[in-house]
Amino acid sequence: MPVLTATNLRHAYGDDLVLSNVSLSVEPGERVGLVGRNGQGKSTLLKILAGELPHDSGDVGVRRGARSAYLKQNPTLNLGHTVREEAESAFGEVGELHAELEGVFEQMAEAEGDTLEKLLHRQTELEKRIEAAGGYTHGHKVERVLHGLGFTDAQLALQTNHLSGGQKARLALGRLLLEEPDVLLLDEPTNHLDIAGRIWLERFLGDEFKGAVVLISHDRRLLDGVVDRILEVELARLYDYPGDYTAYRTQRAERKLTQAREYEKQQTRFKREEAYIRKYKAGQRAKQARGRESILERAKADQIERPMELAEMKLNLPKAERTGEVVISGRGLTKKYQREDGSDLVLFEELDVSVGRGERWGVVGPNGVGKTTLVRTLLSEIQPDAGALKLGTNVQIGYFRQTPPEADPEMPVVRYIQRRVAKENDGLQLSEYDARSLAAAFLFSQSDQEKPLGVLSGGERARADLAALLSSAKNLLVLDEPTNHLDIPSAERLEQALAIDGGYEGALLLISHDRAMLDACCDNLVVLEGGGKARVFTGTYSEYEAKYGAPGDNGPPATQAPKPEPNRTVTPPPTSSVAPKEKRKSRFSWMPTDQLEIRINELETDIAGMDQTLGGTEIWTNADKAQQLTDERSRLKAELDEAEEEWLGRAE
């Protein structure tokens, strides 16, 4: 028997119909993902299912005796509670008993004589009642859930009114999980979770939580790990797909393709009928033509809808000026801040990073470890406390920040894109046709392109900024949490643009907790673990996680001085106990930097050509020739290492 049902739901905001005759049922223990473009009605549907929003017509029912619980995007907490007390309030009476026991302990610290004796007696009574209600196992579960969501032991005693917005959202999620309802309705639970928190939530919902789940999320990995059914809200209707998100994408593409073929067939039939009607409407067959016209009008009233988003995005991005071989070089970088108690908060220490031309780097780590600070340091916006830093030649930076730039709220989207491109490119004028094509590629409909900036949602504004930035001929893109406000289709469009064959050829620095986007866009990582620990890794995020575990997820600790990964030169800094030796002059010491970069490029091109030859089978039929080519490659690689060392040395 379903634990939650909805039948023929209809809801409109004025003339905007959001849900039309929507029906669904959720079985006990079922995991359902609710997806769709922003503004299509996902949150509206969830609010109606939770009883938070009245609907125009239809019915919603929860099975008799079952409880449902709903996570709002802006939850409310009990002010004056500590983090622990707020989480324990999920257990009702047990939580109250724990709170009273804490108060008894505080009073006992100053009580004497008969007062202390009474408090000791009350302590015994409370402990017995807590134990009888299973309250001590609840206490363990509270800590496990809060730790999983990123709270430290010290933070459990904080008052809720002292928490940040993100901490409040995580605490509300923890309280809801502890309530163990029969149906859990979650609206974007990962919005304030880092990667470790998302993985923990995925495991909790998949392995521990026994009730049903209806989940809105833009985290595709979470959907793949948790749900066994996808419901898509599109054009006021609900489409049902069995399986996880990956299965849904395949099934949806097949449905769209079938729908496109049927749409084309129907349009062809309409055109034939219209031609017949025009030809015979005034002749001998006028009566038959009028009859066929009536049939055509009825058919058009119920015609197949034109399928949305069938094609992949194709962008003709302007070519940026070519950078030097090395875009950013940082050696021995250290950054720390002084806490209020005078101790140092070390963000990263003795970190070596070298970003090459066209390389895609992800910057990952738990919340609050300094990812944005590291990127701003690499861009020379913030000075390191120690170490040497140098930007390569002709580097032109495009920076997407979490806070959008100020702009006229009355300016239409398409004009904003044109103005932003002109500002980023010394007055370059993007034609209206190109600006509208770019806006359409980032899922702005023709009417959306005329919207003033002041009425855009966070996701729409982010899409407008990203569209302008990608068309601004930058050879280094820096994106700080670009998917925070993007729905899944928008995130996937951004991935298409940033892919190797997607049109963008420059280097990339991407700060993100989106595991799918990291895998799609980055093959190098800087991982910050906290406490000054960092690791440079050559490979995708999935490869990193398979080797070390998720950052902050109790994986093997990173070392403060990262070990060189294969095919990447990292020179460790000298220790204080050994006097630094005088630097030996290389064969490139005389060479100007621009010529040195040209030589590095030539060497890399030659080595790449040799690798291609050595990767084939034909060369190995001649052992002498193969050995000769192998020896020549080794010689050129040694020369390349020396040239790169000289280039890096000039950054000090």
Side-chain angles (χ1 to χ4, degrees), residues 361-373:
W361 284 74
V363 181
V364 300
N367 289 330
V369 295
K371 298 184 293 295
T372 299
T373 299

Side-chain angles (χ1 to χ4, degrees), residues 421-432:
V421 170
K423 183 178 180 180
E424 295 281 353
N425 293 274
D426 297 326
L428 172 68
Q429 295 301 313
L430 192 67
S431 71
E432 180 161 342

Side-chain angles (χ1 to χ4, degrees), residues 550-572:
D553 189 32
N554 299 320
T559 55
Q560 288 189 334
K563 296 180 180 180
E565 297 292 333
N567 301 321
R568 182 169 301 281
T569 303
V570 180
T571 305

Side-chain angles (χ1 to χ4, degrees), residues 189-256:
T190 62
N191 270 357
H192 300 282
L193 296 181
D194 55 25
I195 291 177
R198 294 176 185 213
I199 291 174
W200 180 89
L201 179 61
E202 181 181 320
R203 292 171 182 164
F204 186 90
L205 294 178
D207 301 335
E208 291 193 40
F209 184 71
K210 305 305 180 185
V213 178
V214 181
L215 166 70
I216 297 175
S217 180
H218 296 161
D219 189 315
R220 290 158 283 171
R221 291 290 174 84
L222 180 73
L223 290 171
D224 271 342
V226 173
V227 309
D228 44 37
R229 177 181 167 207
I230 293 286
L231 296 177
E232 180 187 27
V233 186
E234 181 181 79
L235 298 177
R237 299 180 181 177
L238 201 62
Y239 297 90
D240 200 332
Y241 299 88
D244 58 16
Y245 180 78
T246 300
Y248 149 79
R249 285 202 68 192
T250 302
Q251 296 172 66
R252 185 181 191 274
E254 292 171 352
R255 180 175 70 84
K256 290 293 183 182

Side-chain angles (χ1 to χ4, degrees), residues 111 136 169 176 214 244 264 317 324 335 408 412 415 475 483 547 592 600:
Y136 287 112
L176 209 63
V214 181
D244 58 16
E264 290 166 2
L317 299 178
K335 187 65 186 177
D408 180 1
R415 301 286 172 257
N475 49 35
T483 61
K547 187 172 183 179
I600 288 173

Side-chain angles (χ1 to χ4, degrees), residues 104-180:
V104 168
F105 287 144
E106 291 176 6
Q107 295 175 55
M108 288 170 62
E110 300 179 357
E112 297 178 353
D114 291 342
T115 302
L116 179 58
E117 192 68 29
K118 291 178 181 178
L119 289 172
L120 287 169
H121 182 69
R122 184 58 179 159
Q123 174 195 347
T124 303
E125 288 181 347
L126 289 171
E127 288 175 341
K128 286 180 179 179
R129 290 177 62 186
I130 291 172
E131 186 175 3
Y136 287 112
T137 59
H138 288 166
H140 172 70
K141 191 170 185 179
V142 164
E143 292 183 1
R144 187 161 54 84
V145 167
L146 292 177
H147 289 161
L149 294 174
F151 288 97
T152 64
D153 284 330
Q155 291 173 329
L156 301 189
L158 287 176
Q159 298 273 324
T160 57
N161 52 309
H162 294 154
L163 299 180
S164 67
Q167 288 172 325
K168 289 178 180 177
R170 287 188 279 127
L171 177 54
L173 173 59
R175 183 183 62 190
L176 209 63
L177 296 176
L178 290 166
E179 287 180 11
E180 297 186 342

Side-chain angles (χ1 to χ4, degrees), residues 430-448:
L430 192 67
S431 71
E432 180 161 342
Y433 174 81
D434 287 339
R436 290 189 181 279
S437 298
L438 181 64
F442 275 85
L443 305 178
F444 285 101
S445 66
Q446 191 166 357
S447 60
D448 288 341

Side-chain angles (χ1 to χ4, degrees), residues 341-355:
D341 61 4
S343 63
D344 284 336
L345 172 62
V346 182
L347 300 181
F348 46 90
E349 191 171 22
E350 297 291 354
L351 177 62
D352 296 344
V353 179
S354 178
V355 178

